[in-house]
Amino acid sequence: MNADRVQMLRRNAPRTGRARLTRRSLLACLLLLASSLYGTATAAAIEGADRAPRPAGTGARITAVRELDARTLDLTVQSRAMEGSVPVRVILPKSWTSEGRRTYPALYMLHGGDDDYTSWTRETDVEELAEDSDVVIVMPDGGKHGYYSDWYVGTPLWETFHTVELVRLMERTFRTNSSRAVVGLSMGGFGALNYASRHPRMFRYAASMSSYVDLDEPEVRDFIRLGSTVDGIDINDVWGDPEQDDNWQAHNPAARPQAFRGTRVHLSSGNGTPGPLDAAHETHVIVAGMLAERMLPASLQNFAESLREAGVAVTTDFYKPGTHSWPYWERELHRIWPTVMKVLT
């Protein structure tokens, strides 16, 4: 599909602005409270087995394009791996239409749990950041609790969709090249690390903001299991039985530090203490953000050390104060943006 085809698929739609509201629920508070009942575990560095994403060919195609503004498009992607349609938001560089033979680096941005593909543009100023960047920004949906994995039970196949179908679709439709970076927050931060470790050298840069990194930690397992159960999901459907199947280790970034060789890694989190950036939040939002963030720094620091021991180039930003909330993630996006652009281009 070329630029003319993309233009033909565009649909008239009103341009939308960003809502700056942070959406949390009382349910989130309860889930995070459960996770806070445990101490922070030490990150493990054990070797896990590998399972590649299941083959799906190039079975994805764009069936509709909705134009949000001159450079921002919402795509409806029909996916063979997902056996249905998945929404994807794309921000194109200014020169994309005028330089029809040029290829561009791609920045994949992954959202957190209980959110969707609109979150980065809804909650941050990524459009403004990308104003002068010659990079195609790809923001795919990853499911409310999709865990950026091909599920053990057979469907959904999020990893195959994101790392096989979508990458190839972006290459042939939007002229992206092999220079790629992936950035994610919370569950999306886990997704960024999971994809980078399971697809060595696919990404030049991987950044994880406020994410768990070790599936062996008891509080992480309990947090994931409880959150999934509340939403009617059996976590064993995602990775199998953690006591009997090595598939958990195959999706555990902390167990695979050597797999990150060739990829620059950035890890960040707050310490769970509220600060000035939380001033506009309601009390339950602040409490949820405190509980979610407080268990992360020690585990991330241990993971960073294991990466360095494996010869991986890693940077960290463990800031104080800081909670599990969008103002800190937007600030972190600004902090890493120059490096991401430099690595990509």
Side-chain angles (χ1 to χ4, degrees):
M1 185 183 295
N2 56 25
D4 292 337
R5 177 62 174 159
V6 172
Q7 294 290 345
M8 185 173 69
L9 278 170
R10 287 182 176 180
R11 300 291 183 263
N12 293 329
R15 298 184 180 182
T16 58
R18 283 187 296 121
R20 298 312 304 268
L21 299 178
T22 300
R23 302 182 303 170
R24 300 286 180 185
S25 65
L26 181 58
L27 175 60
C29 292
L30 296 175
L31 298 179
L32 296 169
L33 179 60
S35 71
S36 72
L37 297 178
Y38 300 86
T40 302
T42 301
I46 59 178
E47 293 303 320
D50 196 8
R51 290 190 181 185
R54 302 169 195 183
T58 57
R61 58 190 178 90
I62 298 171
T63 58
V65 179
R66 180 171 178 252
E67 182 179 342
L68 302 185
D69 58 41
R71 296 169 50 223
T72 307
L73 308 174
D74 274 359
L75 314 178
T76 301
V77 178
Q78 182 68 27
S79 163
R80 184 181 304 165
M82 295 298 295
E83 299 181 350
S85 295
V86 181
V88 179
R89 181 161 290 180
V90 174
I91 302 176
L92 299 173
K94 289 179 179 178
S95 61
W96 187 84
T97 300
S98 60
E99 299 186 27
R101 295 187 177 182
R102 181 177 177 182
T103 65
Y104 294 87
L107 169 59
Y108 290 83
M109 303 185 73
L110 309 181
H111 65 76
D114 201 28
D115 215 323
D116 59 30
Y117 71 105
T118 68
S119 64
W120 284 102
T121 54
R122 186 186 69 238
E123 303 289 355
T124 77
D125 59 350
V126 64
E127 297 115 315
E128 287 80 2
L129 269 178
E131 183 71 19
D132 297 315
S133 299
D134 286 331
V135 172
V136 174
I137 299 173
V138 187
M139 295 166 282
D141 204 76
K144 297 294 184 182
H145 296 283
Y147 297 105
Y148 295 98
S149 301
D150 284 357
W151 282 26
Y152 189 80
V153 294
T155 56
L157 304 181
W158 287 110
E159 181 181 356
T160 295
F161 173 67
H162 290 141
T163 64
V164 179
E165 291 185 336
L166 187 60
V167 166
R168 293 178 183 178
L169 183 66
M170 291 297 106
E171 289 174 346
R172 69 175 186 261
T173 305
F174 291 99
R175 306 193 308 274
T176 61
N177 55 40
S178 61
S179 180
R180 308 181 194 94
V182 59
V183 172
L185 61 89
S186 196
M187 184 185 76
F190 165 80
L193 297 175
N194 186 41
Y195 288 171
S197 68
R198 289 174 57 78
H199 302 270
R201 300 183 184 274
M202 171 176 272
F203 301 100
R204 295 185 178 183
Y205 184 96
S208 175
M209 305 177 190
S210 299
S211 74
Y212 46 85
V213 294
D214 191 353
L215 297 182
D216 280 341
E217 292 183 353
E219 70 273 24
V220 170
R221 290 196 177 193
D222 286 341
F223 172 70
I224 292 174
R225 187 177 298 279
L226 179 58
S228 300
T229 300
V230 169
D231 287 302
I233 297 170
D234 184 346
I235 195 62
N236 289 11
D237 289 346
V238 181
W239 296 308
D241 185 345
E243 303 302 326
Q244 300 180 14
D245 193 270
D246 61 6
N247 201 38
W248 279 70
Q249 294 308 311
H251 292 85
N252 188 0
R256 305 166 57 80
Q258 295 183 350
F260 290 90
R261 290 174 178 170
T263 298
R264 295 183 61 173
V265 176
H266 180 78
L267 306 172
S268 65
S269 77
N271 67 343
T273 302
L277 294 182
D278 294 285
H281 294 160
E282 297 179 7
T283 300
H284 74 277
V285 174
I286 296 175
V287 171
M290 291 170 60
L291 296 178
E293 203 77 356
R294 58 187 281 184
M295 68 178 182
L296 299 177
S299 181
L300 287 166
Q301 289 169 3
N302 288 331
F303 180 49
E305 184 58 32
S306 70
L307 289 173
R308 293 188 181 102
E309 291 176 356
V312 178
V314 58
T315 57
T316 59
D317 184 12
F318 300 120
Y319 44 85
K320 301 177 183 181
T323 63
H324 202 77
S325 56
W326 275 104
Y328 297 97
W329 299 327
E330 181 177 45
R331 185 182 68 183
E332 193 66 19
L333 183 62
H334 278 257
R335 288 177 174 177
I336 67 174
W337 191 264
T339 300
V340 177
M341 294 301 106
K342 182 177 179 180
V343 171
L344 282 176
T345 58

